[in-house]
Amino acid sequence: MNFQFLFSTRGKRYLQWRRMILITLFTSFVFLGIHANGWAQRNVPVRVERYLALRSMSGSVTFRNSRTSRTARVGDRLQSVGDGLTTSQSATARLEVDTGVGFINVSENTRLRIQRMDIAPDNGRITHLEVPQGQVRLQLRSFTHEGSELEIQTPAGVSSVRGTEFGVSVQPDGKMGVATLTGAVATSAQDQTVEVPGGFQNLTVPGQPPSPPTPLQDNPELTYEIVRSIEGGNRRLQLVGQVDPVNLVLVEEEPQTVDTNGRFTLEFLPVLGTRVQITVITPLGQRRDYDLAVL
C-alpha cells in the first residue's frame, strides 16, 4: 500500500475539514455579535433631558427646586419634579417647552411647578404641571406622537391638551377657569371630563364636575356699584363688583375670590377720597386696570 499517498489524502481532508469548522465558528461568532449588539442597542435606554426653559421675564420672579429658592434668571431650566416658578405682583415669565412645541406664559401672582416630565414609549413627551394659583396661557402646536400629553393640574381639576392655544386661571379658593382660543382642551374633575373646543370656555369648582362650555368671552370688563348703608348707627360702604366668573380679580395687587356668578364684595371705611385699584385678568391673559373712587 502507498502509505505516503494515503497520508497525503487524509491530511488534505483533515485540513479541509478543520478549515470548514473554523469558517463556521467565525461566521457564527460574527452573527451572534451583530445580534447581541442590536439587542444591546434596543435594551439600553437613551437618556433624553426634559425641561422648561425660562426665555424671558419681567418683575420679581422666584425660581425654586428641592435645593434652593432664589431670584430667577433667563436661561434657568425647570427639569425635575418640584422645580417651579413664582411670580410676584406685576411680574411675568415666559417658558419654552424643550421640544420647541410651544410656550407657557405665566402671569403675575402665579405659582407653577413640575409634577411630571417623562418620555412615552413611542418617544412622545409627557409634561404635567401644577398651577395652584394664578394664570397661565399656553401656545402649543399639535403633538406628533400619540403618547405626548400636557396637563395643567389645579385644585379644582385637570386641563389636558394635545396642541392648542388656551389659558387657565386659578382663583384663591381653587376655582379653575379655562378658555380655549384654538384646538380643544379636556377639563376633568370628579371622574367627569368636559371638552372645551376653540371659541369656548368653562369653569370648574373644587369638589364639582366641570361646567358645560359656554361661548368664549375673553372680556376683562368690570361693572360695579357703590352701596351705602347704616347698621347699628354705623355707616357702611361697599363696592359690589361683577366680572366674568372665569376671570381673576386683583384688588391692590392681592388676588380675590369671586363667586360662580362672578360677583365679589369689598368693604371700606367711609373716608372721603377713598380710592381702590382693581385689576381683571382673563384666562387668556387679557388685562384691564381700574382706578375707582369709592367715596
Side-chain angles (χ1 to χ4, degrees):
M1 179 178 292
N2 190 339
F3 288 97
Q4 184 177 4
F5 172 79
L6 179 62
F7 175 78
S8 175
T9 301
R10 290 180 177 177
K12 288 180 179 179
R13 289 178 178 175
Y14 170 76
L15 291 175
Q16 290 174 349
W17 175 77
R18 189 177 66 173
R19 188 179 299 113
M20 289 177 63
I21 291 177
L22 290 175
I23 291 173
T24 301
L25 289 174
F26 177 78
T27 303
S28 298
F29 287 145
V30 171
F31 176 82
L32 291 173
I34 291 173
H35 279 263
N37 184 55
W39 293 331
Q41 288 179 350
R42 285 193 294 268
N43 291 328
V44 174
V46 178
R47 178 177 175 81
V48 178
E49 188 175 275
R50 298 291 326 283
Y51 59 85
L52 300 176
L54 181 58
R55 292 308 183 201
S56 63
M57 54 179 279
S58 64
S60 178
V61 180
T62 302
F63 169 83
R64 288 186 170 87
N65 61 23
S66 59
R67 300 178 303 278
T68 186
S69 175
R70 59 167 172 78
T71 300
R73 297 186 290 266
V74 172
D76 280 340
R77 290 184 173 184
L78 282 61
Q79 52 191 11
S80 300
V81 172
D83 289 3
L85 289 179
T86 301
T87 56
S88 63
Q89 298 175 1
S90 302
T92 61
R94 182 173 172 85
L95 296 165
E96 182 180 14
V97 183
D98 53 2
T99 55
V101 72
F103 294 90
I104 301 171
N105 298 297
V106 185
S107 187
E108 62 184 294
N109 292 298
T110 299
R111 288 185 287 140
L112 175 149
R113 76 180 188 93
I114 293 175
Q115 278 191 329
R116 179 186 178 190
M117 294 197 83
D118 210 346
I119 304 294
D122 66 352
N123 205 37
R125 301 314 197 251
I126 299 172
T127 305
H128 293 183
L129 305 175
E130 180 184 19
V131 180
Q133 174 185 312
Q135 184 270 332
V136 293
R137 177 171 179 168
L138 289 81
Q139 298 167 289
L140 306 171
R141 62 172 172 77
S142 297
F143 297 153
T144 56
H145 294 83
E146 185 65 28
S148 294
E149 57 185 57
L150 194 151
E151 292 186 356
I152 302 293
Q153 173 77 56
T154 75
V158 177
S159 298
S160 58
V161 297
R162 288 192 53 78
T164 185
E165 184 169 356
F166 78 110
V168 176
S169 61
V170 184
Q171 297 178 22
D173 64 351
K175 286 198 292 291
M176 174 179 69
V178 170
T180 307
L181 193 61
T182 61
V185 176
T187 58
S188 302
Q190 302 300 304
D191 298 322
Q192 295 188 38
T193 298
V194 172
E195 185 172 282
V196 185
F200 285 82
Q201 63 185 36
N202 80 334
L203 182 70
T204 304
V205 178
Q208 299 181 21
S211 71
T214 59
L216 177 65
Q217 302 298 316
D218 196 27
N219 183 6
E221 182 179 353
L222 165 68
T223 59
Y224 69 96
E225 63 174 330
I226 305 298
V227 179
R228 299 175 176 84
S229 61
I230 297 177
E231 291 186 8
N234 298 317
R235 296 174 60 196
R236 296 186 61 195
L237 191 63
Q238 292 181 317
L239 184 149
V240 180
Q242 175 81 53
V243 298
D244 189 321
V246 300
N247 290 348
L248 291 181
V249 174
L250 308 179
V251 175
E252 303 294 346
E253 300 290 348
E254 289 296 324
Q256 305 294 308
T257 297
V258 303
D259 66 20
T260 55
N261 295 312
R263 289 170 60 90
F264 64 96
T265 301
L266 306 174
E267 293 204 14
F268 300 91
L269 293 174
V271 178
L272 188 64
T274 298
R275 305 187 70 86
V276 62
Q277 298 281 338
I278 298 178
T279 300
V280 181
I281 303 174
T282 73
L284 288 173
Q286 291 279 3
R287 170 183 174 141
R288 188 174 300 171
D289 297 314
Y290 298 85
D291 180 13
L292 306 179
V294 179
L295 184 62

